[in-house]
Amino acid sequence: MYVCLGNICRSPAAEAVMKKKLEERFPFRDGVFVDSAGIGSWHEGQLPDRRMREHGARRGYDICSRARQIRREDFAKFDYIFGMDHENMVDLKRMARTDEERKKVMCTADFMTRHPGYDTVPDPYYGGAEDFELALDLIEDACDGMIDWLEKSGVLV
């Protein structure tokens, strides 16, 4: 599960990118569920930001999930919960009630290999086209790293 602030830019983009990358690399693999959510509920039920959908579509991604807020039961449902920035990580760790739940929370940027200068996926919401492109570049990099990590861990075979 990918988590950002409002679930309308970064996390739904990461959800779509990961789904597509998994389908391409493991076309007949079942049992991997990818989702996204937001820390806040402001955009609940809305489609992702139009700009993110447009930038993603140019790269072949269908960024179309409806925004929702992360729920307590998500900590039981998902094996991994990836926060997009430091604030998301603080909020997610605060929500986690046990050490086991806290271990599930990881920073998306920790899986990037091609963008060493970034330790978060910056929020493009108040930026321009270049900010949405950068967010997608970073998300693609992180998803590639996550898939490699999951393969090495034996989760994906």
Side-chain angles (χ1 to χ4, degrees), residues 133 148 152:
E133 289 296 320
D148 291 343
K152 289 175 186 162

Side-chain angles (χ1 to χ4, degrees), residues 112-127:
M112 293 189 287
T113 61
R114 299 183 300 271
H115 296 86
Y118 289 89
D119 62 350
T120 68
V121 177
D123 192 347
Y125 187 77
Y126 292 105

Side-chain angles (χ1 to χ4, degrees), residues 92-110:
L92 290 167
K93 296 270 186 176
R94 190 177 303 129
M95 287 180 71
R97 291 187 180 155
T98 66
D99 287 340
E100 183 178 321
E101 287 181 351
R102 278 185 282 285
K103 288 178 186 174
K104 292 181 176 190
V105 177
M106 295 182 243
C107 185
T108 302
D110 290 347

Side-chain angles (χ1 to χ4, degrees), residues 16-118:
V17 168
M18 183 58 114
K19 284 178 176 177
K20 183 170 183 185
K21 286 182 175 289
L22 286 170
E23 288 170 10
E24 290 172 352
R25 287 178 66 176
F26 303 94
F28 303 106
R29 173 124 176 106
D30 289 330
V32 177
F33 182 69
V34 181
D35 198 4
S36 65
I39 297 294
S41 62
W42 314 281
H43 303 289
E44 191 114 19
Q46 294 178 15
L47 282 170
D49 184 282
R50 173 192 52 78
R51 297 164 297 172
M52 184 57 86
R53 286 184 284 141
E54 289 172 358
H55 285 273
R58 286 189 209 118
R59 296 182 187 211
Y61 302 116
D62 184 17
I63 304 173
C64 63
S65 60
R66 296 283 177 165
R68 73 173 184 88
Q69 186 174 24
I70 189 167
R71 299 182 289 264
R72 278 287 323 133
E73 57 265 23
D74 290 327
F75 283 87
K77 183 176 182 178
F78 291 94
D79 294 321
Y80 308 106
I81 300 174
F82 300 104
M84 292 290 163
D85 62 36
H86 300 300
E87 292 81 15
N88 302 151
M89 293 296 294
V90 167
D91 290 335
L92 290 167
K93 296 270 186 176
R94 190 177 303 129
M95 287 180 71
R97 291 187 180 155
T98 66
D99 287 340
E100 183 178 321
E101 287 181 351
R102 278 185 282 285
K103 288 178 186 174
K104 292 181 176 190
V105 177
M106 295 182 243
C107 185
T108 302
D110 290 347
F111 293 88
M112 293 189 287
T113 61
R114 299 183 300 271
H115 296 86
Y118 289 89

